[in-house]
Amino acid sequence: MPRPLGELEDAVMTRIWQWNRPVTVREVLEDLQQERSIAYTTVMTVMDNLHQKGWVRREVEGRAYRYTAVSTRAAYAAALMNEAWSRSDNPAAALVAFFGMMSPEQREALHAAVRIVEGYEAAEGGTAPGR
């Protein structure tokens, strides 16, 4: 699991994930500039770093690159949760504490996810996705 994204990396990836299409540095720059003052070269460097780290792939188009996310935000969040959980010396206690922090909406989403995984296990004879 790669290290968590930095603040600017996350801002860039958020746009790439939301737009769900190949994007240019210029497009990301223009959207970011609605929130903050930022230079083209800064965004270009961040997107190049994300490419080097394996978060995005890129293809040449004319004189620029188009960047596409390698995975989804959901997969990124799941990897972060898994990494944090795997570092606990008491995984059950960590889960109980985590569940205690959840809002009612988050707990309902968790219940729905468990039902989905149980449905996969029943349909596949005990094998859920990702196992």
Side-chain angles (χ1 to χ4, degrees):
M1 153 79 197
R3 69 170 177 76
L5 296 170
E7 186 257 333
L8 189 50
E9 291 173 328
D10 186 69
V12 169
M13 285 304 302
T14 294
R15 283 150 179 85
I16 294 171
W17 282 319
Q18 285 175 343
W19 296 339
N20 195 28
R21 61 174 174 76
V23 300
T24 64
V25 171
R26 175 77 48 206
E27 290 172 307
V28 174
L29 170 72
E30 289 172 357
D31 200 62
L32 284 170
Q33 285 179 331
Q34 294 177 29
E35 300 172 0
R36 63 178 93 190
S37 176
I38 190 165
Y40 180 92
T41 54
T42 301
V43 177
M44 182 176 62
T45 298
V46 169
M47 293 178 76
D48 184 61
N49 289 344
L50 289 167
H51 175 256
Q52 296 300 321
K53 293 176 182 180
W55 288 105
V56 296
R57 66 179 149 269
R58 67 186 181 192
E59 294 182 19
V60 176
E61 183 178 288
R63 294 177 44 194
Y65 287 111
R66 285 211 173 262
Y67 294 82
T68 308
V70 170
S71 66
T72 65
R73 180 176 279 289
Y76 168 66
L80 288 178
M81 289 186 286
N82 187 56
E83 177 72 15
W85 185 51
S86 69
R87 291 182 182 201
S88 174
D89 61 347
N90 187 339
L95 283 174
V96 169
F98 179 64
F99 297 158
M101 294 178 198
M102 292 178 149
S103 69
E105 294 81 15
Q106 290 170 320
R107 282 193 296 277
E108 181 50 41
L110 174 65
H111 289 298
V114 168
R115 287 190 296 272
I116 290 168
V117 170
E118 288 172 344
Y120 281 127
E121 288 176 344
E124 299 292 326
T127 306
R131 290 193 188 172

